Amino acid sequence: MNSDIPASYTWTIPRLPMVLSPNSRTSRYVLHKRHDTDLQDSIGYFLQAGYTKPLTSWSKARVKITFIVAQNRARDWDNWRPRGKGFLDSLKPASGYFRRNRWVEASGLGIIADDNMECIGEPEMVIVVDKARAPATVIEIEREEIFLA
């Protein structure tokens, strides 16, 4: 294994992800724009942290997303889980999707092969109260070694 390739990455985005909950009464167009903004910000801050896009994707990894908030109050996980989607999508290789009957290219870091359950399981998402650092989102991804018997 090449020792130049890091076994983990950690970077911080100095804001919380945008609301992507299906419970929010927002148009699909606005939700797509919010998703794309989160995706692009994640890539930008990854590169700003001094990392470069890897040449090969990991087939197994653990992902942790920490939402740093200023206030300690009750929060509904059903509304927070979708917020990580744009950041998770930024970890995959570049791909695309159809929007309004036309193909749209989507950027990606290519750290993981895919963001499905087989590659990353269920991502760990945590809310931390820290007035000094809030608002922020910390993304941590660690490669899981696969040993064949």
Side-chain angles (χ1 to χ4, degrees):
M1 184 168 77
N2 187 346
S3 62
D4 295 341
I5 300 171
S8 65
Y9 296 99
T10 301
W11 67 101
T12 301
I13 300 156
R15 67 172 180 79
L16 293 171
M18 296 186 191
V19 175
L20 295 175
S21 173
N23 295 335
S24 68
R25 293 173 183 90
T26 308
S27 73
R28 288 189 310 167
Y29 174 77
V30 171
L31 291 175
H32 277 288
K33 293 295 277 184
R34 290 176 179 177
H35 170 270
D36 292 349
T37 300
D38 285 346
L39 186 143
Q40 292 302 326
D41 282 359
S42 177
I43 292 170
Y45 284 104
F46 174 87
L47 297 172
Q48 204 174 64
Y51 298 123
T52 56
K53 291 184 179 183
L55 298 176
T56 58
S57 299
W58 301 340
S59 59
K60 292 274 190 191
R62 279 185 291 240
V63 176
K64 179 179 180 183
I65 299 177
T66 304
F67 304 116
I68 303 172
V69 298
Q71 297 176 345
N72 187 14
R73 60 184 171 89
R75 290 182 167 80
D76 185 357
W77 268 114
D78 291 348
N79 295 326
W80 279 84
R81 278 215 168 274
R83 286 183 170 216
K85 180 163 177 38
F87 296 148
L88 285 174
D89 285 348
S90 73
L91 305 176
K92 302 185 304 185
S95 61
Y97 52 90
F98 279 100
R99 180 185 296 162
R100 296 186 181 164
N101 296 325
R102 73 180 216 285
W103 184 254
V104 177
E105 287 293 323
S107 301
L109 293 168
I111 299 172
I112 55 176
D114 200 351
D115 63 350
N116 61 25
M117 295 292 281
E118 188 176 313
C119 290
I120 63 170
E122 186 171 345
E124 181 182 359
M125 294 189 184
V126 180
I127 296 176
V128 172
V129 178
D130 185 342
K131 287 182 183 181
R133 294 177 22 205
T137 305
V138 179
I139 301 173
E140 301 170 71
I141 181 165
E142 181 180 342
R143 177 179 31 213
E144 283 189 5
E145 298 296 333
I146 300 172
F147 298 103
L148 300 175

